[in-house]
Amino acid sequence: SPASEAFTRADIPLHANSMLQAKMEKPLETMAELKQKGNPLVYVGDVVGTGSSRKSGINSVQWWLGEEIEGVPNKKTKGFVIGGIIAPIFFNTAQDSGALPIQAPVDEMETGDEITVNFSEGKIYKNGNVISEFKLEPNTLPDEFRAGGRIPLIIGRGLTAKAREALNLRSEEHT
C-alpha cells in the first residue's frame, strides 16, 4: 500500500492496482498468470505488513486473492498471507477482515511455487517435502476465517448465546 497512492485508498479496486508495484516487475500480470493454473494464490513475504497502511494493504491482498462478499460491492474477504514475520497490527487487521495470516518460515518459497498447506499438521509442503512448519495462533483463527473475520465471529457468537438464552437452551459451553 504505497504512500504515493494514498489518495486512492478509499477506492479498493483502484488502489489494489498499486499492489507490489515497487517490489516486483508486472505484479498484476504475474498474479493473473498464476491464477490461470487454477490454484488459490497466497501472499508470501519474509516481512509482511510494515511500512504500509494495514487496512488498505489487506484490502489489496483480498482484492486479488480473496473471495467476493455477496451483496457488498468492491470489497472481498478471505485470502491467505504467510509471513516469516507479520507485523502484529497487520496480523490483527487480517484476522478482522477474514484473511488467514500464518507466521512461518518462508525461505524456501518463491513466486510461482505450488505449495500445499496442511493446517492440522501445521506444515507447508513443496514437491512433497516439508519446507516450513507453523502453529495457527490464536486457536480461534480457523473459526475467524470461516466466519469472514474476527468481528463477525464475535458478533455471531454473541447472537447465538442470546438466542439460546431466549429459547431456554443450554449455553454452548455445556453442549
Side-chain angles (χ1 to χ4, degrees):
S1 179
S4 62
E5 297 294 322
F7 69 95
T8 67
R9 287 182 179 151
D11 185 334
I12 293 169
L14 177 62
H15 188 69
N17 287 328
S18 64
M19 183 173 155
L20 296 171
Q21 295 293 333
K23 297 289 183 188
M24 63 187 291
E25 271 189 53
K26 301 183 179 183
L28 304 182
E29 293 87 345
T30 300
M31 286 188 285
E33 286 174 23
L34 292 172
K35 282 184 178 184
Q36 294 291 323
K37 294 181 178 183
N39 296 323
L41 299 185
V42 178
Y43 185 88
V44 177
D46 56 348
V47 178
V48 178
T50 60
S52 71
S53 165
R54 62 191 181 274
K55 186 60 184 166
S56 63
I58 284 294
N59 283 341
S60 292
V61 167
Q62 290 176 319
W63 184 256
W64 295 114
L65 312 181
E67 300 173 5
E68 300 283 338
I69 303 171
E70 188 175 332
V72 181
N74 295 332
K75 184 105 171 104
K76 295 184 180 181
T77 189
K78 305 290 186 218
F80 299 93
V81 176
I82 302 174
I85 297 171
I86 302 176
I89 198 144
F90 192 88
F91 188 100
N92 292 342
T93 305
Q95 281 180 278
D96 290 345
S97 58
L100 183 61
I102 300 169
Q103 199 155 281
V106 298
D107 302 338
E108 297 186 49
M109 295 179 219
E110 298 288 332
T111 300
D113 283 350
E114 290 189 26
I115 61 172
T116 301
V117 181
N118 186 312
F119 298 101
S120 59
E121 291 180 357
K123 294 181 180 178
I124 301 172
Y125 295 86
K126 180 170 71 174
N127 301 323
N129 299 312
V130 175
I131 60 166
S132 188
E133 296 188 33
F134 63 92
K135 182 176 181 187
L136 284 180
E137 291 183 303
N139 64 358
T140 56
L141 205 53
D143 291 337
E144 294 166 0
F145 183 72
R146 280 190 294 275
R150 182 169 47 176
I151 305 305
L153 178 65
I154 291 168
I155 292 169
R157 284 184 172 167
L159 288 172
T160 298
K162 288 178 182 181
R164 294 183 73 79
E165 182 182 328
L167 295 169
N168 293 319
L169 298 173
R170 293 185 340 176
S171 68
E172 287 184 328
E173 295 90 39
H174 296 100
T175 57

